[in-house]
Amino acid sequence: MIASALATETQTVADMNVRRAQRAIIVILIILAALWIIQIVNNSTGYILDGEYGIQPRILADLPFILTAPFLHASWLHIEGNSLPLLILGFLAAFRSIRKFIGVTAAVILTSGLAVWLTAPAGSYTIGASGVIAGWLGYVMLRGFMNHHLADILLGLLAAFLYLGAFDFLPNNSMISWQNHLGGLIGGLACAWIFRTRRTNRKAVRVEPPARLPD
């Protein structure tokens, strides 16, 4: 009886993980497809969208473009370089909860974009999804520790080993927006705490019985 119940529970968890994986990969493939469609349109116009909807620092009229810049790329090589880490890290970030993934993505778009708008060199234009991808990396790296989930801790460590060195978080290359990467990473780390699973405190509390009044 116990063995049968354990087998049923194991199968239920496995089925749930399969459904989670299916939802996550569908969402990430939709995002990736949208980026490539935008890239095709952008390329056909001579990349005019980059200048119109990229982030130009400290210009108030360009502040809303922190929402559009992650969807634009400067070349085929640029989007190709972002596609594989976007697919892998996006899947890992989306696997546990699509709702939380949407929140994390919105947050890291804002933190990466604001970091660029506030601190990037004057006259520069910043575009690309790498800041958002760095945000997903930060979220995946810390999520397991925040939720006390061993599998996610191991996946986070593996993601850090594979991808942490792929991003510039310091001004090493004038052609790469380290501000975008660092802003995204910080946003993702913060989201791991903000979207952590809240656990109720189930510690036993000893309560002294009420004193008996004398008859």
Side-chain angles (χ1 to χ4, degrees), residues 8-166:
T8 301
E9 183 178 353
T10 301
Q11 184 61 45
T12 300
V13 172
D15 292 343
M16 184 183 301
N17 286 336
V18 169
R19 289 194 296 271
R20 285 175 173 170
Q22 289 172 339
R23 287 195 295 265
I25 194 63
I26 288 171
V27 168
I28 298 306
L29 287 176
I30 290 173
I31 293 173
L32 189 60
L35 291 181
W36 276 86
I37 290 171
I38 292 170
Q39 170 62 14
I40 292 170
V41 173
N42 197 17
N43 174 261
S44 69
T45 63
Y47 293 97
I48 193 173
L49 298 180
D50 291 351
E52 292 185 354
Y53 298 103
I55 304 171
Q56 192 170 4
R58 295 171 297 284
I59 294 181
L60 193 59
D62 278 19
L63 187 57
F65 299 152
I66 65 176
L67 304 178
T68 57
F71 297 93
L72 301 171
H73 292 82
S75 66
W76 294 112
L77 187 62
H78 190 191
I79 193 172
E80 288 167 7
N82 278 341
S83 292
L84 184 58
L86 183 148
L87 187 64
I88 295 173
L89 293 172
F91 171 79
L92 292 176
F95 175 72
R96 291 293 173 194
S97 169
I98 298 299
R99 179 179 59 83
K100 289 182 179 180
F101 173 74
I102 293 171
V104 171
T105 302
V108 298
I109 286 175
L110 292 175
T111 59
S112 61
L114 283 173
V116 170
W117 191 82
L118 291 170
T119 66
S124 63
Y125 281 88
T126 300
I127 54 172
S130 56
V132 177
I133 299 169
W136 291 341
L137 173 61
Y139 176 67
V140 170
M141 283 169 51
L142 198 57
R143 176 181 57 188
F145 292 99
M146 293 292 100
N147 294 333
H148 309 288
H149 196 288
L150 180 58
D152 282 351
I153 290 173
L154 296 176
L155 284 173
L157 292 173
L158 179 61
F161 175 76
L162 293 176
Y163 287 108
L164 195 58

